[in-house]
Amino acid sequence: MTNADWQDRTRAALWHPCTQMKHLEQVPPLPIARGEGPWLIDYDGRRYLDCIASWWVNLFGHAHPRISAAITDQLARIEHVILAGCTHAPVVELSERLALLTGLSHAFYGSDGASATEIALKMSFHYWRNAGRPEKTGFVSLQNGYHGETLGALSVTDVALFKHTYATLLRHTHQAMSPDARLAAPGESAEARALRAAASLESWLAEHAHATAALILEPLVQGAAGMAMYHPIYLSCAREMCDRHRVHLIADEIAVGFGRTGTLFACEQAGVRPDFLCLSKGLTGGYLPLSCVLTTDDIYAAFYDDATARGFLHSHSYTGNPLACRAALAVLDIFEADDVIRTNRAKAARFTGLLAPLAAHPRVEHFRSLGMIWAFDVRDAAPGFGMDFHRRALEMGLFLRPIGNTVYFMPPYVVEEEEMRLMASVVRRLLD
Ligand SMILES: *Cc1c(COP(=O)(O)O)cnc(C)c1O
């Protein structure tokens, strides 16, 4: 079977995510036969550098022997068992280790990112109900924020392209000013922009906190907004305001968790502990679908009761899947054994250095980086820029997926200097 065979058959049988299927007439999907570290290899034997970590999920490259071995070992024991009324070592060990790493003592599992958002929103709402504050039903999120695309998650998402069509199906929520540093006024620093956004949230909360259950946000980087980065002071302010106004803080670290921003979790950079922490994507190193919502003793205690209905009666069939939990445990082992956070710090500094000429390119604006994320906006991007840039990068061996006029790199952490040089040089040639 060649690439062309799989492209024909996929068009006949599949409906691809986030895709106008007619566009596949111009840009057929890339059939991937296998992966090797940060490389994807198609059915004709061509190699592409996975610059976006397969939609931000992959941490340590494809076909990683240690993660694969953990899953294989688990396969011979138990592949899956219902988690209502049963338990097993992988899910217990994973919950214990995540609690140690986050200071959040109770873990509830889902299967993908959007389900984690749904769980956090429902838990927050239900907490206030159990706590005798049933009027606290509202949610506030940030402008240009992204939390997934099921109806509840889409209600707190603010990306017009995904949301507008479904607007009448959704719950009304408020979007607070984004702290995105790119939106700073002329002469305004990133910190000043963050403080201005915080002040705006403060005045909204002063009026609406009594009817608001939670603030949900993506700490430090709004991924789907085009890797919009903001100053950590916004998170410290948000934590303080949420405490003062008695509103939960939900940190959606689905994209930024597991070292992406340079610390294991982005909230650490502001010294903030959220009331709910949503994790997915990198949780299993990009191997299997799994998500997790971690929360505090206090919130857990509000559900602990003789009355069934005070409990959190929410479930997904594959909750706490043992194979996925073993992949996640292997990921945590790799973080420890390979001192990943420290190794990445050195790598990130080298890559930022390599990208300096690109940052100075006349077509590039708002060049930004944090941890293992680099992004810039293209000044004179024509309509259709993203798809066109994607296609031309592919011809030169890079798998990239611009968001609007934003080009970004979010590679697996195993990229080496040579591959970083390739990314920098191909993108520079494309801009020229
Ligand atoms: C990807 C993402 C989600 C949704 O996760 P899915 O697994 O795609 O449902 C939610 N929040 C953020 C910040 C994300 O990046």
Side-chain angles (χ1 to χ4, degrees):
M1 285 283 182
T2 64
N3 277 1
D5 296 326
W6 290 116
Q7 284 164 341
D8 288 344
R9 287 171 65 180
T10 197
R11 267 192 294 258
L14 267 85
W15 198 335
H16 285 273
C18 202
T19 301
Q20 167 50 267
M21 291 298 289
K22 191 160 197 284
H23 289 165
L24 297 189
E25 291 174 10
Q26 275 95 53
V27 188
L30 183 64
I32 295 303
R34 57 200 181 86
E36 257 177 39
W39 293 92
L40 297 168
I41 301 154
D42 71 13
Y43 286 85
D44 298 340
R46 288 197 58 191
R47 296 161 71 84
Y48 309 89
L49 190 57
D50 186 357
C51 303
I52 61 161
S54 289
W55 239 351
W56 321 347
V57 300
N58 190 288
L59 299 185
F60 303 121
H62 299 279
H64 191 289
R66 279 183 274 174
I67 303 175
S68 301
I71 297 170
T72 310
D73 177 71
Q74 186 58 39
L75 262 177
R77 298 168 194 270
I78 177 77
E79 73 300 325
H80 184 67
V81 65
I82 177 175
L83 199 66
C86 292
T87 189
H88 49 80
V91 79
V92 173
E93 285 172 14
L94 180 60
S95 307
E96 289 171 352
R97 285 176 74 175
L98 291 174
L100 281 176
L101 292 168
T102 61
L104 295 164
S105 45
H106 297 274
F108 193 100
Y109 292 88
S111 321
D112 47 24
S115 62
T117 301
E118 302 287 347
I119 289 162
L121 297 176
K122 282 178 70 179
M123 264 187 187
S124 172
F125 164 88
H126 196 164
Y127 169 91
W128 292 116
R129 207 180 148 81
N130 284 351
R133 297 288 306 273
E135 71 285 4
K136 285 171 80 70
T137 59
F139 295 101
V140 51
S141 59
L142 300 187
Q143 282 170 354
N144 307 320
Y146 180 89
H147 303 288
E149 291 163 63
T150 51
L151 293 177
L154 195 57
S155 295
V156 289
T157 285
D158 183 39
V159 178
L161 186 62
F162 303 147
K163 189 170 190 177
H164 187 251
T165 309
Y166 308 102
T168 52
L169 291 180
L170 305 177
R171 230 187 112 71
H172 178 74
T173 64
H174 177 70
Q175 274 66 57
M177 179 194 275
S178 168
D180 182 351
R182 291 177 301 180
L183 304 175
E188 190 182 37
S189 68
E191 184 173 6
R193 166 73 193 186
L195 288 169
R196 188 152 61 90
S200 160
L201 177 63
E202 169 67 34
S203 56
W204 187 86
L205 283 173
E207 207 177 317
H208 301 279
H210 66 97
T212 301
L215 163 67
I216 181 167
L217 50 71
E218 297 158 272
L220 300 188
V221 183
Q222 294 184 291
M227 300 300 154
M229 298 182 184
Y230 63 85
H231 196 281
I233 199 161
Y234 185 82
L235 291 178
S236 340
C237 293
R239 176 70 280 180
E240 187 278 322
M241 285 186 275
C242 284
D243 284 340
R244 192 157 34 79
H245 290 286
R246 299 215 63 210
V247 165
H248 290 140
L249 176 62
I250 303 173
D252 176 352
E253 295 223 16
I254 290 166
V256 295
F258 298 98
R260 205 30 95 172
T261 66
T263 44
L264 190 60
F265 298 107
C267 281
E268 294 169 22
Q269 293 182 44
V272 156
R273 196 190 70 175
D275 301 297
F276 297 95
L277 178 64
C278 300
L279 303 173
S280 188
K281 293 201 166 115
L283 175 58
T284 62
Y287 273 63
L288 289 164
L290 181 70
S291 65
C292 180
V293 176
L294 290 149
T295 192
T296 61
D297 284 336
D298 169 54
I299 288 167
Y300 178 77
F303 291 79
Y304 200 81
D305 197 86
D306 291 324
T308 307
R310 279 180 69 99
F312 190 59
L313 307 185
H314 178 104
S315 60
H316 297 283
S317 308
Y318 284 100
T319 293
N321 175 261
L323 298 171
C325 290
R326 281 295 299 275
L329 286 166
V331 163
L332 294 179
D333 288 342
I334 294 170
F335 268 103
E336 276 177 26
D338 297 1
D339 203 357
V340 171
I341 297 293
R342 205 164 57 100
T343 314
N344 277 1
R345 209 162 287 156
K347 249 182 205 180
R350 262 183 294 146
F351 195 22
T352 303
L354 280 175
L355 289 176
L358 189 66
H361 194 283
R363 292 184 68 196
V364 166
E365 65 179 345
H366 300 305
F367 182 90
R368 53 199 180 272
S369 71
L370 185 67
M372 295 294 277
I373 308 173
W374 293 265
F376 60 86
D377 301 345
V378 175
R379 221 183 277 279
D380 51 359
F385 164 82
M387 223 194 291
D388 193 48
F389 202 86
H390 163 81
R391 193 172 42 197
R392 285 160 58 220
L394 209 53
E395 283 163 11
M396 295 164 88
L398 293 191
F399 188 79
L400 282 171
R401 216 182 133 91
I403 301 171
N405 68 334
T406 298
V407 176
Y408 71 92
F409 303 107
M410 203 156 158
Y413 302 159
V414 292
V415 284
E416 294 297 344
E417 182 115 8
E418 195 187 327
E419 290 142 356
M420 293 174 176
R421 280 185 196 285
L422 181 72
M423 284 189 262
S425 74
V426 166
V427 167
R428 221 172 137 206
R429 268 194 292 165
L430 287 176
L431 287 174
D432 289 340

